[in-house]
Structures are given as C-alpha cells and as structure tokens.
Amino acid sequence: MGAGVGKTGVSIGILRTLLRRGTACAPFKAVAVVAPDEPAGRSLPPWRRGVVQSCAAAGVAPEWWHNPVLVDLAAPGAPDGDLYVRGRRLGRAAVTGADSLDLTSLPDRLRRLCQEAVEDGFQHLAARRAGPWLLVEGAAGAGDLPAAADLANQLLPERAGLPVLVVADARNADPVALTRLRDRLTPGLRRLLLGLVLNRVADGPAADALTVRLTGATGLPVLARIAETPAPTGYDGSPERLDVMCDYRADGVGESGLTRLLDVPPLAKAPR
C-alpha cells in the first residue's frame, strides 16, 4: 500500500520461517532506496544494504542479484542519491515520493541498464534456486508511479508471474484507497492478487471491522493479521541483534496464520 507499511518486516518473517523449516529460500527486491538512518549493514558497501535484513533472514549473503538496482541517499528524505546497478555506481538518480525510483526520470541508457539488471537478477535467482521459494518484495507503494515506470511493484511482479500479497498498515488502511490501488494495477498483476495482509494490528475488534470493510470494497480476502511488533529492545542493526529481530518477525508471522500459505509452492513459470 505504501512506504512504511511493513513489507520488509513481513518478508523477513516469511523468509526466517522458511529457513527454520529447512527450506532453501531467497529474497529479491528489484529496486531499493537506503539512507543512513537504517542501522543494518552500515559497514557494508551501499549496494549490499538494500536487502541485508531479508538476506539475513534467509541465511544467504547479499549479492547484486538479490537487489539489482539501489539508490543510496546521503540523508533521509534527500531528493536524490547514488545509483548502483549490479553493484556498480553508475551516477545519480532522483527519488519520487517515498522511496520510489521513476524509470522515466532516467536517461535512456540508465533506464535500459536498470531494466536489464532486474530481469537478469530475477532470472539468475529463479534458475539457480536450491528450493522452491523466491520472495519478491516491492518498494514504496504500488500505484505511486505509472505502471510503465514502476519496475519494483508492477513491471517485475507481472513478469515474474508469482502470487501477490498486498500489505496494508492496519492503523491507516483505507478501503477506498485500496480499491483505487487495485484499479491502478495492470490487468496481469490484478490476476495474480491472492489477498491482503493487515500489518501492525493493535486492536482485535477494530481489525475485525476493518477486515469486513476491506473485503467488501475490494473483493480480496484478508489472509493474515500480524500484531503490532516494534523492533526488539536494543536492536542496533548488528549481526547478532539482526538475527534476534529475524526470529522476532518470524514469530509474528507464525502467530498470524500466514504460514499456511507457505505450504503452497509460490514459484510459477515466468510468463513469456
């Protein structure tokens, strides 16, 4: 639904749950935007920081193919930053809204390189996976950009052909906005929608009422409700605390009932 709804936290919980089960898994994020206020991976090269938490959850080292395109901001909220493609700095790129990279804002050469890197990274992971699970995480909010400019949320997910979950923050989920979001998605992506995940649920009765409204407005089922779970006390992004945080997120996903979806292999053959 947008930046800050907790997509990464949900992804971490799913990946760590799979790792606990002994299932090989890997994260993929087409585009990431990082800033110095995120403590995880501060000692790593910038291009590795976009999925360092999800890679830790999955028990794999971050490589360029896990996150082919990244913008490294000098400060939170900066309008632009260093653009990394396949782990190499290629110039500067502007960000749009909250953590979105608008492909149409790039010169033709950079736009083509970004698109090729995302396609190659996804195919690399899909071809070499040791197990059936590949988790693709969006960036910022689906529908924030026109479909043709949204590499992370529309172009790649439709190309991948994987089942799609929409994550919404229970504290401010708006049925009308969610309906508009669905209308802004490409027809191919709408066909892949499985349902909604309500994140940061703090009040059961309020979540019950919201579930009814969301389902009525969109026709999509609410598949899981994840409780409000702030970062563990003392979380500082260090490898030790990062591991604790991954387990913490997995516990939240497990309690929500979302793990029943993990019994269905999600990796479909990518459409041609």
Side-chain angles (χ1 to χ4, degrees), residues 120-182:
D120 289 349
F122 175 78
Q123 291 297 341
H124 177 86
L125 279 171
R128 74 189 291 269
R129 68 191 188 281
W133 270 92
L134 179 60
L135 188 149
V136 177
E137 181 187 343
D144 289 352
L145 298 171
D150 195 346
L151 191 54
N153 295 310
Q154 301 224 42
L155 299 180
L156 186 278
E158 183 175 358
R159 169 73 179 85
L162 304 180
V164 174
L165 296 174
V166 176
V167 179
D169 190 329
R171 299 170 300 184
N172 54 25
D174 179 2
V176 174
L178 190 54
T179 301
R180 290 173 180 164
L181 164 64
R182 187 172 185 177

Side-chain angles (χ1 to χ4, degrees), residues 104-127:
T104 61
S105 70
L106 297 175
D108 289 345
R109 173 179 169 273
L110 285 181
R111 180 166 62 249
R112 185 175 64 255
L113 289 174
C114 288
Q115 291 174 310
E116 290 172 352
V118 168
E119 174 71 13
D120 289 349
F122 175 78
Q123 291 297 341
H124 177 86
L125 279 171

Side-chain angles (χ1 to χ4, degrees), residues 23-247:
T23 300
C25 55
F28 181 83
K29 186 161 186 171
V31 179
V33 178
V34 298
D37 59 334
E38 170 51 58
R42 280 179 175 164
S43 62
L44 295 174
W47 64 269
R48 287 181 179 264
R49 295 186 59 213
V51 286
V52 62
Q53 298 179 81
S54 295
C55 282
V60 297
E63 301 289 353
W64 75 262
W65 47 79
H66 294 117
N67 176 205
V69 179
L70 178 137
V71 181
D72 180 33
L73 304 180
D80 59 10
D82 291 328
L83 175 67
Y84 287 83
V85 180
R86 300 180 194 253
R88 295 187 297 124
R89 183 182 177 278
L90 296 185
R92 303 282 292 179
V95 293
T96 302
D99 299 347
S100 294
L101 174 65
D102 184 345
L103 277 183
T104 61
S105 70
L106 297 175
D108 289 345
R109 173 179 169 273
L110 285 181
R111 180 166 62 249
R112 185 175 64 255
L113 289 174
C114 288
Q115 291 174 310
E116 290 172 352
V118 168
E119 174 71 13
D120 289 349
F122 175 78
Q123 291 297 341
H124 177 86
L125 279 171
R128 74 189 291 269
R129 68 191 188 281
W133 270 92
L134 179 60
L135 188 149
V136 177
E137 181 187 343
D144 289 352
L145 298 171
D150 195 346
L151 191 54
N153 295 310
Q154 301 224 42
L155 299 180
L156 186 278
E158 183 175 358
R159 169 73 179 85
L162 304 180
V164 174
L165 296 174
V166 176
V167 179
D169 190 329
R171 299 170 300 184
N172 54 25
D174 179 2
V176 174
L178 190 54
T179 301
R180 290 173 180 164
L181 164 64
R182 187 172 185 177
D183 291 341
R184 288 196 298 268
L185 300 179
T186 65
L189 195 56
R190 287 200 297 270
R191 287 193 291 269
L192 295 171
L193 292 174
L194 280 185
L196 311 174
V197 173
L198 275 185
N199 196 30
R200 298 174 178 150
V201 173
D203 183 285
D208 290 340
L210 179 60
T211 295
V212 172
R213 294 201 304 274
L214 290 175
T215 300
T218 66
L220 294 172
V222 174
L223 298 172
R225 302 188 332 196
I226 300 177
E228 177 83 61
T229 51
T233 302
Y235 176 66
D236 58 4
S238 64
E240 296 79 10
R241 298 304 297 171
L242 181 55
D243 199 52
V244 171
M245 190 270 287
C246 291
D247 285 332

